């Protein structure tokens, strides 16, 4: 993710900068640039994003957008709607695959996000090679700044998703002998309770076996159930 | 999305309830239930989520989790990590397709989110048919409550994404006669400037034509460029 830079243009609320830092940490991005940010206390960032150092130690602040984008090879703007004669798309899932490849092959790309109130101006959007939106509810398309950053970075992260955390060791599954011991005790319980009034009870037995098979027991599950039913039969 | 209910169990900060309402509106969900929420002012919700009525008019508040889930056919818990002997998965994209089908075919399903500080307890997770996490940075897996809700609802929304908003009418593309007029004036400019010192300048002409072809001009683009270059030739 080294080839992908996030640029916030004139963010207004320092808490949103903190929430963007957190979204970047959640999704594995570290390169953030701020253009004309408001004065902010790094402690406020840390209150929203715990352990923000991977992003904060590399953060740079710029006096204008040209300075923030000077080394960028491809600039992507963000806007919730198309604009006349500007290239807008919102197929973000497909876009993410293409941008990921571009960042790897052609050098640094940047994602540009505008101020909270009005977003990027037409002039700022005109600097961009392309503009993306998110395919969300057209009746309610306005995302909070940090939520827009999160969804776009999440889509980029999902191009090569991280491996899942290790699971705790599962109990070994029951084998058919374990199931058969359980079914035998279950039969004894049915007989002992005189639950079946007529017929041989085969339909009931089949239903109970199907329920237990669907549950997918571990050896220990089967042992516990068998012991419980055996205790019930004894009473 | 009528078959999918969001349940917040003991949320602590009313601003997070507002941010969840906003995420639901962004992604097209309307059914929210709160279990033992803190006292909150609906105006605070509206300050975070403008026009929250589609969610707030249907919001219900419950004194315990059993009451909030009584009519639910399938309960999905959320946790950032696997727990011993509980069914956890984080292939959320595939899960979203399956849950969408289940909600359509089998009736109301619910997504259960725990309190901000510690998430769902093991007892609460044990009530769930399955537990999901998000495939994000394992070194920084803890999402803000509203961001977790947003990402999960976004994945569910993307199973049948909304159609993009209509684009403004594009200008008609240039035809080859438009391009040829432009290239003719460009040739005149090259001649007039005596830019080519040796050879016939064919390599330069081919490069300029390739640049212009890649840009994909509209009729108006071609007319403006042709007029501009013609003005330059005249000087």
């Amino acid at each position: 993710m080294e080839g992908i830079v996030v640029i916030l243009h004139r963010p207004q609320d320092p808490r949103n900068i903190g929430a963007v830092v957190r979204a970047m940490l959640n999704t594995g991005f570290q390169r953030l640039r701020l253009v004309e940010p408001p004065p902010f206390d790094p402690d406020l960032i840390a209150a929203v994003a715990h352990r923000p150092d991977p992003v904060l130690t590399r953060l740079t602040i710029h006096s204008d957008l040209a300075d923030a984008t000077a080394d960028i090879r491809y600039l992507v703007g963000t806007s919730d709607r198309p604009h006349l004669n500007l290239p807008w798309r919102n197929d973000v899932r497909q876009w993410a695959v293409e941008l990921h490849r571009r960042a790897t092959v052609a050098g640094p790309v940047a994602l540009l996000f505008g101020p909270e109130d009005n977003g990027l101006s037409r002039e700022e959007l005109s600097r961009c090679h392309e503009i993306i939106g998110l395919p969300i509810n057209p009746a309610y398309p306005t995302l909070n700044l940090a939520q827009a950053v999160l969804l776009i970075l999440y889509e980029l992260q999902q191009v090569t998703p991280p491996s899942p955390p290790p699971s705790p060791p599962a109990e070994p599954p029951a084998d058919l002998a374990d199931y058969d011991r359980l079914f035998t005790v279950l039969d004894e319980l049915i007989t002992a309770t005189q639950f079946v009034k007529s017929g041989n009870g085969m339909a009931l037995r089949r239903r109970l076996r199907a329920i237990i098979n669907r549950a997918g027991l571990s050896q220990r599950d089967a042992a516990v159930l068998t012991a419980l039913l055996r205790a019930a039969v004894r009473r």
Side-chain angles (χ1 to χ4, degrees), chain A:
Chain A
M1 306 295 189
E2 267 304 295
I4 299 179
V5 176
V6 174
I7 303 176
L8 303 186
H9 188 245
R10 296 187 179 153
Q12 297 163 322
D13 184 338
R15 284 175 303 182
N16 286 336
I17 301 174
V20 166
V21 169
R22 182 168 180 167
M24 292 178 66
L25 291 164
N26 285 143
T27 50
F29 293 84
Q30 296 190 345
R31 297 178 69 183
L32 177 61
R33 298 176 184 180
L34 305 177
V35 179
E36 294 187 67
F40 64 92
D41 181 346
D43 286 350
L44 180 62
I45 306 289
V48 181
H50 306 289
R51 297 182 284 113
D53 281 357
V55 173
L56 285 196
T57 53
R58 305 182 65 186
L59 176 72
T60 54
I61 294 181
H62 304 263
S63 56
D64 62 43
L65 188 53
D67 186 58
T69 53
D71 63 331
I72 296 301
R73 303 271 170 79
Y74 194 78
L75 184 61
V76 182
T78 50
S79 176
D80 63 356
R81 62 186 184 283
H83 301 260
L84 191 64
N85 294 336
L86 292 178
W88 186 87
R89 61 191 287 194
N90 79 343
D91 56 331
V92 172
R93 204 152 281 184
Q94 174 58 32
W95 164 86
V97 174
E98 297 167 21
L99 193 80
H100 206 275
R101 190 182 308 125
R102 189 184 287 273
T104 310
V105 172
V109 303
L111 308 171
L112 179 61
F113 295 87
E116 289 89 332
D117 50 0
N118 290 317
L120 294 167
S121 71
R122 198 173 158 87
E123 187 181 336
E124 289 142 15
L125 289 170
S126 293
R127 292 180 62 88
C128 300
H129 294 94
E130 67 178 347
I131 303 162
I132 55 159
L134 282 155
I136 57 169
N137 183 4
Y140 204 98
T142 312
L143 288 158
N144 166 288
L145 173 59
Q147 292 186 321
V149 173
L150 176 68
L151 286 180
I152 290 171
L153 295 185
Y154 172 77
E155 285 285 12
L156 285 166
Q157 184 191 34
Q158 295 309 305
V159 176
T160 54
S163 24
S167 291
E171 292 175 351
D175 56 29
L176 289 195
D178 296 315
Y179 279 98
D180 280 339
R181 274 189 289 277
L182 173 58
F183 293 143
T184 303
V185 187
L186 199 54
D187 284 348
E188 292 171 21
L189 185 73
I190 292 168
T191 305
T193 55
Q194 300 177 301
F195 183 81
V196 177
K197 301 300 182 200
S198 66
N200 58 8
M202 276 310 290
L204 173 66
R205 285 180 171 82
R206 275 198 303 269
R207 173 177 293 273
L208 294 172
R209 282 177 186 231
I211 292 170
I212 289 168
N213 280 332
R214 283 204 307 273
L217 305 184
S218 70
Q219 284 188 352
R220 186 157 169 71
D221 291 335
V224 167
L225 282 177
T226 303
L228 174 67
L229 296 184
R230 191 167 282 142
V233 170
R234 284 211 194 95
R235 298 269 155 177

